[in-house]
Amino acid sequence: MIRSTAHSALRTLLPADFYRDRQMYDQCLDTLFAPSWQFLAGPEIPSTPGHAHPVTLLPGSLNEPMLLSVDADGREHVLSNVCTHRGNLLVSTPGRCRQLVCGYHGRAFAPDGTCLRQPGLDRVKGFPGREDDLRRPASGHWAGLRFVRLAGDASFEEWMAPIAERTAHLPWDTLEPLPEHCTTYPVKAHWALYTDNFLEGLHIPFIHPALREALDMSVYPIHLFPRGSLQMGLAKENEPAFDLPPGHPDAGSRVYAWYFWLFPNLMLNVYPWGLSVNVVEPTGPDSTRVRYLTYRFRGQQGGPQSHALAATEEEDDRVVEQVQRGTRSRLYHPGHLVPEWESAVVHFHQMVLRHLPPRA
Ligand code: FES
Ligand SMILES: [Fe+2]
């Protein structure tokens, strides 16, 4: 683990035009998003034997047609939803799938993606071969959340390790969706501006009155990891906090929430009652869709205080939209950052820059 350094000068590393440049935005889709782990679905899509569920990965940017298919034995398969004959989309609505049969020319696949047959090809030598199977991109699974990686070789376990290790004592196999607390916001801002905002708590006392009442802002620990970061919100006296087991790295602290960020666009906010997920989906150089998904541990009586959580999300969205307008100013140049509060922003920028080709 890399710890944040305090008291050294910090500056934002991404230039102002990064947040408005179409070419850099497109490069990010190819060099950051396609080779990184992406959220595909949560427990709201049940893993029902014999069923298949189409999901578009990052609609409006990657637009990748994916399929969650569960075989009769209950094994789930993350597949491309593109037929290997001539590219038709295979499954358009969720439903039963003893076999997946393409509606264009009848190519048939098993629920694990193995190509079985196609009318007219039964006498062709070598058909079906492995290249006729549906593509199976790398996939990962944690706490009922499913993830996929379209390219590259980044390890799922390493990516997920910071949260999996620190929260191993929590009952992750009991997460249940809270549909009334799930929502999607369009934000008129670049996806990285939304991320910048998430990665610092400096703004909390200024724009989040409810959170300011709950958190002890005299301390705000930040931990940096090779592929993510963690900010810890500590609870004021009368606020709920985690009951941590002996030997836990945060034992002795009254942790109100762990705010994890995993590169490049996933935020996992862990509370004593459950998990709130922010999936940051780019839709253009100045537009983003943020999906807020909320899950509670089975049997937990507490839960998100809906008004406070929704208000906080809206406060963030509105300020990020203002910053988007500010970064378009011809007179704007990024300034000094506050070392003890904004080190995770700089860490994020360093990761982005490592994935972009050097500028001429
Ligand atoms: S595209 Fe699917 S069978 Fe032809
Ligand atoms: Fe915020």
Side-chain angles (χ1 to χ4, degrees), residues 62-251:
L62 293 188
N63 278 321
E64 188 67 37
M66 301 299 305
L67 186 63
L68 275 172
S69 154
V70 188
D71 63 29
D73 297 327
R75 277 187 302 266
E76 188 172 83
H77 306 276
V78 175
L79 305 169
S80 165
N81 192 20
V82 178
C83 178
T84 53
H85 177 222
R86 292 219 337 256
N88 186 32
L89 296 189
L90 194 58
V91 177
S92 51
T93 52
R96 295 190 63 80
C97 70
R98 212 162 54 81
Q99 280 185 9
L100 305 160
V101 181
C102 179
Y104 198 2
H105 314 96
R107 184 169 286 206
F109 303 88
D112 70 353
T114 304
C115 182
L116 302 172
R117 65 181 173 281
Q118 180 173 348
L121 282 174
D122 39 336
R123 292 204 192 147
V124 172
K125 200 165 169 237
F127 179 84
R130 283 196 62 191
E131 70 279 12
D132 299 303
D133 293 349
L134 294 177
R135 302 288 170 261
R136 300 179 179 98
S139 59
H141 192 281
W142 177 80
L145 312 181
R146 284 84 123 205
F147 301 90
V148 66
R149 172 169 56 66
L150 300 180
D153 57 3
S155 154
F156 179 73
E157 286 70 26
E158 277 176 30
W159 184 68
M160 195 47 83
I163 180 167
E165 288 168 9
R166 205 174 208 96
T167 67
H169 59 288
L170 295 174
W172 288 116
D173 56 342
T174 69
L175 271 194
E176 293 175 338
L178 290 177
E180 68 275 24
H181 294 290
C182 296
T183 183
T184 298
Y185 283 119
V187 182
K188 288 187 226 131
H190 192 282
W191 66 272
L193 274 187
Y194 184 89
T195 309
D196 287 348
N197 175 72
F198 179 87
L199 289 174
E200 50 89 359
L202 187 62
H203 67 269
I204 292 173
F206 297 96
I207 72 161
H208 295 314
L211 209 49
R212 181 176 61 212
E213 290 309 306
L215 293 183
D216 171 6
M217 294 303 296
S218 64
V219 263
Y220 194 74
I222 300 172
H223 300 283
L224 308 182
F225 308 106
R227 299 192 66 75
S229 61
L230 164 64
Q231 301 164 83
M232 286 169 53
L234 301 185
K236 278 188 179 164
E237 269 304 298
N238 298 319
E239 294 294 331
F242 278 102
D243 192 10
L244 296 173
H248 188 280
D250 303 323

Side-chain angles (χ1 to χ4, degrees), residues 23 35 97 106 169 266 282 334 351:
Q23 197 186 348
C97 70
H169 59 288
L266 183 71
M351 291 162 114

Side-chain angles (χ1 to χ4, degrees), residues 43-44 175-183 271 273-278 291-296 303-304 309 313:
E44 59 281 357
L175 271 194
E176 293 175 338
L178 290 177
E180 68 275 24
H181 294 290
C182 296
T183 183
Y271 300 93
W273 49 262
L275 174 71
S276 128
V277 181
N278 311 4
R291 293 166 64 195
Y292 295 97
L293 306 166
T294 311
Y295 306 98
R296 184 161 57 191
L309 197 61
E313 289 160 357

Side-chain angles (χ1 to χ4, degrees), residues 38-59:
Q38 292 295 322
F39 174 85
L40 186 63
E44 59 281 357
I45 297 184
S47 203
T48 311
H51 280 71
H53 203 115
V55 185
T56 302
L57 185 67
L58 295 184

